[in-house]
Amino acid sequence: MARRKKLYEGKAKILYEGPEPGTLVQYFKDDATAFNAQKKDVIEGKGVLNNRLSEFFMTGLTAIGVPNHFIKRLNMREQLIRQVEIVPLEVIVRNFAAGSMAKRLGLEEGTALPRPIVEFSYKDDALGDPLVPEEYIIAFGWASQQDLDDIVALALRVNDFMAGVMHGVGIKLIDFKIEIGRVWDGDFMRLIVADEISPDSCRLWDIETGRKLDKDVFRQDLGSLSDAYTEVAKRLGVLPTNVTHATKPTLIN
Ligand code: TMP
């Protein structure tokens, strides 16, 4: 069998050449990293859960007309996606203060914001993905003003969808990060949601208890990350039927 070509390996995912031009296979690893990979671990089953969860969110976005890269899930850890040109920005939407915003502004985590706030970081690991104003983005040509208007509109639609879905299962969407890709139809360019949407890239708090159900569990050593992600998947009804933690055969006495 011909070995497929690895095109890119990131901290949590690998991209392989897809079966047809314009497609890629996105593989979800079990690796968890935080603080620009200064903290690392392998969380058994995380890749399986994120593959399912990203499928669930992207499929929902498609259903409400928000264009995204997802085509279909291939297996436990892989999905077929559209190849895009990634815009080198992390697009962050915040509903409540947390993380870097809470720190920067001295706000208590969980403080409601007056409206959803969209901000951009420049995707560059060596620089630690610095927060950048729109001026920089346009001046350096990472995106045009028109692109940014479209990206903000997309991000706010994703926010409304995600906040509503999560609210329905008793979870508050504090904030999240998405990435945007360009696809070309002849001379026309469209912007679509790409990368992944999973508890790796969101902050999710249980509405009743405030329990964190996202990657902050790993960042802040708050307990089992796979338990937290499994809880999110269970509530959304997307838990894989197979046992997610067993990656090797185990002896049953
Ligand atoms: P922040 O508060 O640390 O800036 O994070 C904002 C949101 O972006 C939060 O939901 C976590 C997510 N995020 C990523 O997906 N990748 C990253 O590298 C960072 C720093 C944050």
Side-chain angles (χ1 to χ4, degrees):
M1 206 167 80
R3 198 172 161 75
R4 63 185 168 177
K5 196 163 155 201
K6 191 196 272 190
L7 299 177
Y8 172 81
E9 177 155 6
K11 286 177 286 209
K13 297 185 296 292
I14 304 174
L15 294 176
Y16 295 98
E17 204 168 59
E20 288 159 36
T23 66
L24 298 177
V25 173
Q26 177 163 256
Y27 175 98
F28 287 78
K29 302 196 278 188
D30 280 344
D31 301 28
T33 65
F35 314 117
N36 208 4
Q38 288 177 59
K39 182 177 165 109
K40 286 188 211 177
D41 205 351
V42 176
I43 313 289
E44 272 188 33
K46 179 172 86 79
V48 175
L49 288 163
N50 281 354
N51 185 25
R52 291 279 180 154
L53 285 163
S54 203
E55 172 191 16
F56 175 81
F57 295 127
M58 296 288 185
T59 309
L61 287 173
T62 302
I64 63 160
V66 179
N68 65 81
H69 73 167
F70 183 81
I71 302 172
K72 67 172 180 181
R73 187 168 57 79
L74 298 170
N75 56 48
M76 295 281 276
R77 287 181 182 277
E78 294 175 330
Q79 47 184 244
L80 186 68
I81 57 169
R82 280 193 74 169
Q83 184 164 28
V84 301
E85 235 172 66
I86 285 284
V87 176
L89 298 172
E90 305 218 320
V91 181
I92 296 160
V93 184
R94 302 179 186 272
N95 298 304
F96 298 87
S100 65
M101 175 192 242
K103 202 168 156 199
R104 194 179 311 116
L105 301 181
L107 292 170
E108 194 184 331
E109 284 225 311
T111 307
L113 299 174
R115 62 180 178 87
I117 293 176
V118 182
E119 66 183 40
F120 304 98
S121 294
Y122 178 53
K123 257 176 79 69
D124 186 319
D125 279 343
L127 298 174
D129 299 340
L131 186 67
V132 286
E134 290 197 7
E135 279 277 304
Y136 286 25
I137 298 170
I138 295 161
F140 290 112
W142 302 323
S144 67
Q145 182 66 62
Q146 178 63 55
D147 291 342
L148 281 180
D149 293 347
D150 293 349
I151 290 171
V152 168
L154 270 177
L156 291 174
R157 290 183 75 192
V158 173
N159 185 46
D160 281 347
F161 170 76
M162 292 291 295
V165 167
M166 299 316 301
H167 181 78
V169 296
I171 294 173
K172 200 190 269 202
L173 178 66
I174 301 296
D175 58 28
F176 67 91
K177 183 265 298 188
I178 52 172
E179 293 185 25
I180 302 291
R182 297 177 194 281
V183 288
W184 296 89
D185 280 326
D187 285 345
F188 291 94
M189 188 272 294
R190 282 197 313 139
L191 294 164
I192 69 175
V193 178
D195 189 50
E196 74 177 296
I197 303 181
S198 77
D200 267 11
S201 51
C202 300
R203 284 200 175 88
L204 306 169
W205 294 4
D206 180 74
I207 289 174
E208 292 287 311
T209 65
R211 178 183 164 201
K212 293 183 177 177
L213 297 168
D214 57 67
K215 204 162 96 176
D216 273 352
V217 171
F218 172 71
R219 293 189 189 96
Q220 301 169 3
D221 295 315
L222 299 176
S224 159
L225 191 71
S226 59
D227 283 359
Y229 287 20
T230 301
E231 177 66 23
V232 175
K234 254 195 213 162
R235 290 197 200 182
L236 295 169
V238 295
L239 200 63
T241 42
N242 308 33
V243 182
T244 60
H245 301 283
T247 50
K248 359 180 189 349
T250 44
L251 261 171
I252 299 168
N253 300 311

